[in-house]
Amino acid sequence: MSAVFVAGEVAGRAVPVVAGVLGAGGVAVASLPSRVRMRAELRRRWRTWALSAPLFIGAFFVGRAGAFVLAAGLGAVAVGEYARMAGLPRAERAVLVAAAIAVPGAALAGPDPRTTGALLVLAVLAAVCAGDAEQGFTRASRTLFGLLWIPVSLSSLVLLGDTALAVGVAVAFGDVGAWCGGTALGRRGPLSRRLSPLSPNKTWAGVVGAAAATAAALTAVGAFTPVLWAAVLAGCVLGDLVESMVKREAGVKDAGSWLPGFGGLLDRIDSLLVALLLVMVVTL
């Protein structure tokens, strides 16, 4: 697969696919009877999907500049949420915000390990210069993890073009598929086993649902390959567990509270971040 930025066939196919699914979903949630326990929650989630999908897809029609703005915007918000959960001091927060803009910006010219390397050194330098003998290593480690997890992942929106768009659509479908699979198949039997203690509500039934949904999404937008599908599916599974690990140590339920139906931005893009990293590994 090519890493050249192209907003073409996948983008053209993604619009009717996503619009059709959103339309069908809107009719479904509007028709839910009042006795359904999650009706209000599902409606909030649908509204969030309906607002965010055009912004995500539309950025790729603008080209590299649109992808950069999307990556920088998502990154600036996400690193703020992460820094609060990780309890990072102001200096490290500033490094993460700068990286959220600089790393995707450097990607406009293609893969550039120099910018990422410089920011990684800067992340460690803040704790070293502070002379923090008690928490310095923890601060530096958490900052380094945040850099790799968020800005570096999101830089692939600029680097991968149509492939990144396909990944974003597939991950969104995968999240819905995981919920449907867990609800329909996760009540009893071998698929009801918990996936990990990090996220007790996640079961193997959800993995089955995510596998089917991601394969369907990639096929619908004309981007399916076994390798890409495996990377996306692994991202869907691991991404949620990674954020659950961070939130459990931080002692919080959600990364934020401003995104209706999801909590914070990180709660919405956790799977996308890991999926994008894995796709960069298999494509660049």
Side-chain angles (χ1 to χ4, degrees):
M1 279 176 282
S2 174
V4 177
F5 190 104
V6 181
E9 184 178 356
V10 170
R13 291 189 178 189
V15 172
V17 169
V18 173
V21 171
L22 280 174
V27 172
V29 297
S31 303
L32 289 173
S34 58
R35 67 176 180 274
V36 175
R37 180 172 56 88
M38 291 190 63
R39 184 178 71 161
E41 179 76 4
L42 291 173
R43 288 181 175 180
R44 284 194 295 269
R45 290 190 177 194
W46 182 86
R47 286 194 292 268
T48 300
W49 281 115
L51 290 173
S52 59
L55 294 176
F56 184 86
I57 296 175
F60 290 90
F61 281 96
V62 179
R64 285 182 176 270
F68 162 71
V69 171
L70 175 64
L74 292 175
V77 175
V79 297
E81 294 178 348
Y82 170 76
R84 286 193 297 272
M85 288 194 296
L88 293 176
R90 184 175 299 177
E92 279 80 357
R93 295 189 184 200
V95 170
L96 287 174
V97 172
I101 300 171
V103 176
L108 288 169
D112 184 10
R114 293 174 298 178
T115 301
T116 303
L119 288 167
L120 293 178
V121 172
L122 185 60
V124 175
L125 192 62
V128 171
C129 291
D132 189 346
E134 296 182 357
Q135 296 292 324
F137 179 66
T138 299
R139 287 169 53 182
S141 299
R142 291 178 175 178
T143 306
L144 288 169
F145 176 77
L147 282 168
L148 293 171
W149 188 32
I150 302 173
V152 173
S153 295
L154 291 173
S155 69
S156 63
L157 296 177
V158 178
L159 292 170
L160 298 178
D162 247 11
T163 301
L165 174 56
V167 171
V169 172
V171 168
F173 278 52
D175 285 348
V176 176
W179 182 83
C180 293
T183 301
L185 304 173
R187 300 182 184 276
R188 59 182 62 86
L191 293 179
S192 65
R193 294 176 56 189
R194 289 193 306 175
L195 189 60
S196 168
L198 291 170
S199 188
N201 293 328
K202 299 298 184 295
T203 64
W204 285 101
V207 177
V208 172
T214 51
L218 290 172
T219 300
V221 299
F224 181 86
T225 67
V227 172
L228 185 61
W229 172 69
V232 171
L233 178 58
C236 286
V237 175
L238 294 175
D240 182 79
L241 296 179
V242 167
E243 199 203 0
S244 293
M245 179 177 65
V246 174
K247 290 192 293 187
R248 279 186 172 273
E249 185 165 330
V252 298
K253 182 180 182 296
D254 296 313
S257 59
W258 64 277
L259 198 59
F262 292 100
L265 181 65
L266 266 177
D267 300 307
R268 175 77 288 279
I269 67 170
D270 52 3
S271 295
L272 176 64
L273 294 174
V274 178
L276 288 172
L277 275 177
L278 293 175
V279 170
M280 278 200 291
V281 170
V282 301
T283 58
L284 293 183

